[in-house]
Amino acid sequence: DTGVSQNPRHKITKRGQNVTFRCDPISEHNRLYWYRQTLGQGPEFLTYFQNEAQLEKSRLLSDRFSAERPKGSFSTLEIQRTEQGDSAMYLCASSLSYDTQYFGPGTRLTVL
Amino acid sequence: GENVEQHPSTLSVQEGDSAVIKCTYSDSASNYFPWYKQELGKRPQLIIDIRSNVGEKKDQRIAVTLNKTAKHFSLHITETQPEDSAVYFCAASSYNTDKLIFGTGTRLQVFP
């Protein structure tokens, strides 16, 4: 499968715990994006990378969220001290610059 | 700020009828307008896109039109089939950032 992959697919955690998600983009894609989607809403932009450089981060993104793409390939999204409001589907997408964004299957986070 | 409005939120049609979904964007710098289809529990998948140098684009039963002056773009599906039933999202991005701003989605139901 040469599409975007994400792990884990589901994560249940208790409030206050830290969680980390991984995204593996399509191999030749230099751009990688993170979005969050809640039930009944469209995906909401969080941050994106060109190679290993983080180019933009949403102003809505709390300091508890951090993302990395250390070697310009896979990326991780970490949420520290999770809150119930963090429960959502976290989607990763990848693309070539200014080209179609292809989405992964998402990681569904449930914070109890 | 950047905003994309999408209407209607739900749309029910008889198989074989046409369906039209409309979006309005606020950022005059927007120049790329993709449409994604998302089935329940699945990832968003691109069905068609248009750039601001084109007024209309068609791919078999699907077409997208763009009115830059009015900041409107629309998705047209002809000869609808039950497998077209899904949630459709419009989105917009601009030349100075690759992030997608999504609409709130339209749930399309096609009845046999």
Side-chain angles (χ1 to χ4, degrees):
Chain A
D1 186 356
T2 56
V4 179
S5 62
Q6 292 185 244
N7 287 289
R9 296 292 308 279
H10 303 273
K11 178 70 177 178
I12 300 173
T13 191
K14 293 183 179 179
R15 190 175 52 188
Q17 298 295 304
N18 298 344
V19 294
T20 300
F21 310 141
R22 175 177 170 128
C23 172
D24 287 89
I26 294 171
S27 59
E28 64 267 26
H29 285 181
N30 59 338
R31 292 202 169 180
L32 187 149
Y33 314 79
W34 286 99
Y35 293 86
R36 176 171 61 191
Q37 186 176 27
T38 53
L39 201 61
Q41 298 297 314
E44 175 190 28
F45 170 78
L46 296 179
T47 189
Y48 84 100
F49 294 83
Q50 175 163 298
N51 300 315
E52 64 276 8
Q54 188 172 19
L55 294 190
E56 187 172 350
K57 187 174 176 181
S58 170
R59 287 168 293 183
L60 301 175
L61 206 58
S62 158
D63 288 345
R64 296 183 296 105
F65 288 70
S66 62
E68 293 183 337
R69 195 183 182 197
K71 297 182 180 179
S73 56
F74 74 91
S75 175
T76 58
L77 176 69
E78 181 183 17
I79 309 174
Q80 296 182 327
R81 303 181 304 282
T82 52
E83 302 173 356
Q84 288 187 325
D86 297 331
S87 295
M89 176 73 83
Y90 289 83
L91 292 165
C92 175
S94 72
S95 76
L96 296 171
S97 298
Y98 299 105
D99 205 346
T100 301
Q101 293 185 26
Y102 295 91
F103 283 83
T107 295
R108 181 167 295 284
L109 173 66
T110 301
V111 181
L112 301 176
Chain B
E2 306 138 332
N3 187 46
V4 175
E5 293 187 357
Q6 183 171 348
H7 299 281
S9 56
T10 60
L11 181 58
S12 296
V13 299
Q14 204 74 31
E15 182 178 0
D17 287 350
S18 296
V20 180
I21 303 170
K22 298 182 179 181
C23 289
T24 304
Y25 60 96
S26 61
D27 186 357
S28 56
S30 296
N31 66 342
Y32 175 62
F33 308 93
W35 286 88
Y36 286 85
K37 175 182 180 183
Q38 188 174 32
E39 297 178 56
L40 190 63
K42 302 281 184 68
R43 70 188 76 190
Q45 292 198 303
L46 181 80
I47 55 170
I48 196 167
D49 58 8
I50 193 168
R51 296 192 181 271
S52 58
N53 59 344
V54 176
E56 183 173 359
K57 184 177 179 180
K58 190 173 181 180
D59 182 4
Q60 299 183 333
R61 298 186 296 108
I62 295 172
V64 57
T65 58
L66 172 65
N67 182 330
K68 287 193 297 182
T69 303
K71 298 182 186 174
H72 289 169
F73 58 113
S74 300
L75 178 71
H76 304 253
I77 306 174
T78 58
E79 301 171 21
T80 53
Q81 302 166 2
E83 51 266 38
D84 293 330
S85 297
V87 179
Y88 292 80
F89 292 99
C90 63
S93 69
S94 68
Y95 61 84
N96 58 0
T97 175
D98 226 0
K99 68 183 181 187
L100 292 175
I101 306 299
F102 282 85
T104 49
T106 296
R107 179 172 300 280
L108 174 64
Q109 290 183 301
V110 181
F111 292 98

